[in-house]
Every structure is written in structure tokens, then in C-alpha cells.
Amino acid sequence: MDDDAAKSGHVPVMLERVLELLAPALAGDAPVVVDANLGLGGHSEALLAAHPALHLIGIDRDPFAIEFSTRRLAPYAERTTLVHASSDELEEVLARAGRETIDGVLFDLGVSSPQLDEGERGFAYSYDAPLDMRMDTDQELTAEVVVNTYSAAQLVRILRDYGEERFAPRVASLIIKERAKDPITSTKRLADIVRQAIPAATRRTGGNPAKRTFQALRIEVNAELSALEAALPAALDALALGGRAVVLSYHSLEDRLTKQILTARTKDTSPPGLPVPLPAHQPRFRLLTRGAELPSEEELARNPRAASARMRAAERIRVDDQD
């Protein structure tokens, strides 16, 4: 995919709100922000343009994203550090960059436009392509490996836990049966198998019946939830006083995990019944959003892919020796 084609298919999700939420944290002399899921660099470009003193550290596991964003952000090259890494390596990335603290962090989770639009990446059930689904094309585990080597119990687990597929046993059973005839190597064949496994009455509603299976495989292949589980706390730990974190998630599992992590940091943990809260147990963060914010109707009209987006944000309000 060339640069123009990639840009034309990519509209940064909830961009104005991201800029609004992060702006107070980036008003200092030399603020630092981390874009933990760089993608095509749309959010990063807007942040760099809005804050002339800002230094941006961009992280992405997809080599294409790093190459593309290096070109896109070339006008700001002196103020950017782009790193090919997974977000769960955030702590090590900051250490190598010599940054003990940061002022802002953005997590824009999920699959980027090029990953969906490039059929050969194997993320989409709408293309016939090799079963791949790797965000980092250097890693060994692919969706083909998962589909053809995992046990029935393992397949049921990931379909149920990561795809919230209520017919997980039926889908797993048919995958096992079909792969015994020939290895399942293409997205089309897998989508057809899933369609056969889902009862006809259910197939008539709710969109493509393969959607949940493809989501589950993608999360498994890329260890997406475990990466977020490690990366978001590390980012919160690195935030300076007044620093802000913004998280954009695209399915309920990501949003639920984000909510749990942020809620844990915004609670007073003093033992119940004390007349005065203990300073060491007071919250280090406050929520900046009431629940999960959704895209506006205007944005959905411009960018239908934003439909599943959910945004949560928090600000550091306390730093002490325990942090």
C-alpha cells in the first residue's frame, strides 16, 4: 500500500477529543508524550503540530507502521523517537530513550487501516488470503498455526474468552474435523467453516458470523490483552504529576480491562471505618471521562470505522515515594 492510499483510508478516531484531553498535560516547556500504538501516525502528527515543544515517542510492532510514520512525521523528525516494539515493552523503550517520566500517553488499540485493507495480512474475512493476522510480521505465531495445531479445548477457550462466541464448542469442533481433511490455510475457508458451524437462525442477524472468531484469533496471535495489561500500568507509573493517559478501545474486552486498570488507580484504598483517609492510600489518579465516551454522530458520518470506539482517560493527581 502506498502512502497516499494509506492516508486516504485512515481517519484518526476521536482526534479532536484526544487533543483536548491531552492538551493540559502538554503545556509545559518540553513535554513528552508516548503514542503506544503509532499506526499510521495520524494522532501523533496532530499532537506534534499542536505542541511545538513536544517530543513524541511512537511505538508500534508493525514494521509498516514504523516505516510509514517515519515518512509522515519527517517534518518533525527532530522531535520524534519511533521504535519498532510491542506496547508491553514501554518501560524498556522509555529507559532506552532516557525518559524517567512522561507527560502524556495515548493507546489507540485494535487493528490499523492498512492491516485491514491489505488482504494478504489475513486480518479480514472479506478477503481470501493466507491465515496470518500478525501485527509484527517477524514473529512466528500465525493464525494458521493456531487454527491447525491448538487442541479443541484451547480453541474453545480463545473463541469464548477473546471472541465472546457463544457457539465456541461448535466452531472448534468443525475446525478440528475440517483440518483433519486438509490444513486450513486461507481466510475464506475458515470463514466458510465458521459460517457452517453457526446455526442458521443466528446467521441471519448480527453481521458476518466469522467476525467473533477472527477477533479471537487476532487477539491470541498478537497477545493483545496481555500487552495492554502490562503496558497501561507501566504508562501510568511513568506519568508525571498532571500527566494524562487516553485509551481508545474497539471491543468490550479491551474496554473492560482499561476500565479495571484505571478504576484501581482512582480508588481510595484506606481501610473502611477510619475517621480520616490515610495519605498513602489516597488515589494517585482521577478519571477524566464519565464512563466510556463514544464518537459523535458527525464523526461516525465521516468515519464509519469509529463506530465501535470507546474512550477512557485519567490524570495523575498525586506522586509520592510509593510510586
Side-chain angles (χ1 to χ4, degrees), residues 26-243:
L26 307 180
D29 293 335
V32 178
V33 71
V34 172
D35 187 339
N37 309 96
L38 182 63
L40 294 182
H43 289 106
S44 288
E45 183 179 45
L47 285 164
L48 287 160
H51 301 280
L54 178 68
H55 188 92
L56 181 134
I57 299 173
I59 303 171
D60 206 291
R61 66 175 73 182
D62 188 338
F64 173 87
I66 297 297
E67 293 169 11
F68 181 91
S69 291
T70 298
R71 295 190 295 273
R72 180 174 193 162
L73 304 178
Y76 309 100
E78 293 184 357
R79 297 195 283 124
T80 61
T81 303
L82 305 186
V83 184
H84 178 217
S86 174
S87 61
D88 59 5
E89 299 174 83
L90 188 146
E91 188 174 356
E92 293 87 342
V93 169
L94 292 180
R96 291 197 298 270
R99 303 286 184 176
E100 291 187 6
T101 61
I102 57 176
D103 300 287
V105 62
L106 170 65
F107 287 86
D108 185 10
L109 305 170
V111 189
S112 69
S113 296
Q115 290 165 345
L116 284 172
D117 295 337
E118 288 286 309
E120 64 268 20
R121 300 294 296 270
F123 283 94
Y125 40 78
S126 53
Y127 301 99
D128 188 17
L131 263 180
D132 194 322
M133 299 194 194
R134 292 174 297 172
M135 292 180 180
D136 182 351
T137 52
D138 292 336
Q139 77 175 41
E140 292 185 7
L141 184 64
T142 66
E144 181 180 336
V145 172
V146 173
V147 166
N148 289 287
T149 67
Y150 276 31
S151 68
Q154 288 174 309
L155 289 173
V156 169
R157 177 186 61 79
I158 67 169
L159 292 172
R160 185 177 285 153
D161 292 353
Y162 298 159
E164 299 179 291
E165 174 56 77
R166 60 193 178 108
F167 298 107
R170 290 175 62 131
V171 174
S173 177
L174 193 54
I175 286 174
I176 298 291
K177 179 181 176 182
E178 290 299 315
R179 79 187 191 189
K181 302 174 186 175
D182 287 296
I184 302 166
T185 60
S186 76
T187 55
K188 183 179 185 303
R189 186 173 174 218
L190 177 62
D192 288 343
I193 290 168
V194 175
R195 189 174 294 107
Q196 293 173 43
I198 303 295
T202 303
R203 291 202 303 266
R204 287 193 283 269
T205 60
N208 193 305
K211 178 180 179 179
R212 291 176 295 276
T213 292
F214 274 62
Q215 173 182 296
L217 290 171
R218 192 198 81 217
I219 291 172
E220 173 70 12
V221 168
N222 297 289
E224 292 177 39
L225 292 177
S226 60
L228 177 62
E229 195 170 20
L232 182 51
L236 295 173
D237 289 342
L239 284 175
L241 186 64

